[in-house]
């Protein structure tokens, strides 16, 4: 059973890293490796993911409300963004269903997470470099590009990749401005996180206990509050400082994990 320190720390990490292009898996791995903390359990995972889901829904509530209105029969409103989000979501839902056993087991290792943290950190740096030297599009994501971003999002099923990182990377390579890429990535997280929460709720491995209820509530609140603050800060600062600080951070994190692996041999 995890204690209060673990609950708050892990929920904070999840809330901050879920929407940054830095890999939440790698960050959640560090406390367990350095401090020997036990696995937090599926119920805890559901709590923190539900918190981050509520955060992104609340932040984009007006946009999501507009998208819902557009889908109503006879609304006459533009549905193009609805379709791009649907198109970008379908590939990862299909891949997640087909590969869920592999991802939950063999792929979730320290070596895999370290490798993907470094590899996709370099790829994000390349995308940022290409974006800075090309003509950036400030327009909404097109349907064809949404499909390509959705296909890239499949790679986020590999622990350590970072869902926001790979979707932003793909959008930058396609010529979109970082703020447009970040916005689409965050909106795309809504169906993906909701799907992940649903799958976890349907799992046979869920173990709920009445005395642990307070832990789950605090985990939900902490992850939600920090996720909301992170979304706000990232969207504001991405156009100011770019993505290179996150690239440098990912590489440093990856090297730290790699040193830990080598020393553990």
């Amino acid at each position: 059973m995890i204690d209060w320190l673990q609950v708050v720390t892990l929920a904070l990490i999840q809330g901050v890293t879920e929407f940054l292009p830095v890999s939440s898996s790698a960050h959640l791995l560090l406390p367990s490796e350095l401090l020997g903390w036990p696995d937090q359990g599926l119920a805890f995972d559901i709590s923190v993911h539900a918190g981050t889901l509520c955060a992104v829904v609340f932040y984009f509530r007006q946009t999501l409300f507009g998208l819902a209105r557009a889908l109503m029969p006879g609304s006459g409103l533009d549905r193009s963004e609805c379709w791009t989000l649907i198109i970008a979501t379908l590939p990862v839902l299909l891949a997640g269903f087909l590969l869920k056993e592999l991802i939950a087991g063999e792929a979730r290792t320290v070596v895999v997470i370290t490798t993907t943290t470094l590899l996709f950190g370099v790829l994000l740096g390349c995308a940022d470099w290409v974006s800075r030297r090309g003509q950036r599009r400030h327009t909404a994501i097109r349907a064809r590009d949404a499909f390509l971003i959705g296909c890239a999002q499949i790679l986020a099923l590999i622990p350590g990749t970072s869902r926001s990182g790979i979707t932003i990377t793909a959008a930058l390579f396609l010529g979109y401005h970082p703020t447009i890429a970040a916005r689409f990535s965050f909106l795309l997280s809504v169906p993906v996180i909701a799907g992940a929460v649903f799958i976890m709720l349907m799992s046979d491995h869920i173990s709920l206990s009445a005395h642990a209820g307070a832990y789950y509530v605090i985990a939900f609140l902490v992850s939600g509050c920090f996720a909301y603050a992170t979304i706000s800060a990232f969207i504001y600062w991405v156009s100011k400082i770019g993505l290179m600080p996150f690239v440098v951070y990912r590489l440093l994190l990856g090297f730290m994990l790699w040193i830990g692996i080598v020393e553990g041999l």
Side-chain angles (χ1 to χ4, degrees), residues 1 35 38 49 51 56 66 74 114 140 186 196 222 231:
M1 181 62 185
L35 304 174
H49 278 87
V56 70
T114 301
F186 292 156
V222 170
I231 294 170

Side-chain angles (χ1 to χ4, degrees), residues 104-179:
E106 289 84 346
R108 200 170 186 83
T109 66
V110 178
V111 174
V112 169
I113 291 175
T114 301
T115 302
T116 52
T117 297
L118 291 168
L119 176 62
F120 290 105
V122 172
L123 195 63
L124 177 62
C126 293
D128 185 59
W129 185 86
V130 169
S131 174
R132 287 176 180 274
R133 281 151 184 77
Q135 186 175 1
R136 296 170 166 180
R137 291 203 296 270
H138 289 76
T139 57
I141 305 291
R142 298 181 299 186
R144 184 203 66 178
D145 295 335
F147 177 73
L148 295 175
I149 293 170
C151 290
Q153 188 174 215
I154 294 174
L155 296 171
L157 295 172
I158 307 172
T161 301
S162 171
R163 191 207 60 80
S164 64
I166 195 62
T167 51
I168 290 173
T169 296
L172 292 178
F173 273 128
L174 291 168
Y176 290 96
H177 191 275
T179 55

Side-chain angles (χ1 to χ4, degrees), residues 22-144:
V22 295
S23 172
S24 59
S25 300
H27 286 79
L28 291 172
L29 179 67
L30 281 174
S32 62
E33 290 295 312
L34 297 176
L35 304 174
W37 286 354
D39 182 79
Q40 60 269 26
L42 188 57
F44 179 87
D45 288 342
I46 292 172
S47 300
V48 294
H49 278 87
T52 56
L53 175 62
C54 288
V56 70
V57 168
F58 184 72
Y59 186 89
F60 289 103
R61 59 192 181 279
Q62 293 183 344
T63 299
L64 293 172
F65 180 71
L67 294 176
R69 285 185 58 203
L71 289 175
M72 297 295 289
S75 67
L77 299 175
D78 183 17
R79 299 177 179 175
S80 58
E81 188 166 37
C82 298
W83 286 116
T84 57
L85 290 170
I86 293 171
I87 290 169
T89 301
L90 290 177
V92 74
L93 290 182
L94 178 60
F97 177 77
L98 296 175
L99 304 174
K100 59 182 179 181
E101 296 300 328
L102 175 65
I103 294 161
E106 289 84 346
R108 200 170 186 83
T109 66
V110 178
V111 174
V112 169
I113 291 175
T114 301
T115 302
T116 52
T117 297
L118 291 168
L119 176 62
F120 290 105
V122 172
L123 195 63
L124 177 62
C126 293
D128 185 59
W129 185 86
V130 169
S131 174
R132 287 176 180 274
R133 281 151 184 77
Q135 186 175 1
R136 296 170 166 180
R137 291 203 296 270
H138 289 76
T139 57
I141 305 291
R142 298 181 299 186
R144 184 203 66 178

Side-chain angles (χ1 to χ4, degrees), residues 9 12-14 16-31 34 113-114 116-122 124-125 128 160-162 164-165 230 234 241-258:
T9 302
L12 189 155
I13 290 173
Q14 177 68 30
V16 170
T17 59
E18 176 68 31
F19 296 105
L20 293 180
V22 295
S23 172
S24 59
S25 300
H27 286 79
L28 291 172
L29 179 67
L30 281 174
L34 297 176
I113 291 175
T114 301
T116 52
T117 297
L118 291 168
L119 176 62
F120 290 105
V122 172
L124 177 62
D128 185 59
T161 301
S162 171
S164 64
T230 299
F234 184 78
I241 63 175
L243 291 159
M244 198 52 65
F246 299 100
V247 173
V248 174
Y249 180 80
R250 277 191 73 130
L251 295 179
L252 291 174
L253 176 63
F255 283 126
M256 283 177 59
L257 290 171
W258 185 258

Side-chain angles (χ1 to χ4, degrees), residues 171-236:
L172 292 178
F173 273 128
L174 291 168
Y176 290 96
H177 191 275
T179 55
I180 300 297
R183 179 183 180 276
F184 188 74
S185 174
F186 292 156
L187 287 174
L188 194 54
S189 73
V190 174
V192 173
I193 298 177
V197 170
F198 177 78
I199 290 172
M200 287 189 284
L201 285 171
M202 294 298 103
S203 173
D204 296 329
H205 304 294
I206 243 183
S207 178
L208 296 173
S209 56
H211 70 275
Y215 287 118
Y216 304 141
V217 172
I218 293 300
F220 170 83
L221 293 174
V222 170
S223 63
C225 290
F226 278 92
Y228 183 87
T230 299
I231 294 170
S232 304
F234 184 78
I235 288 181
Y236 176 78

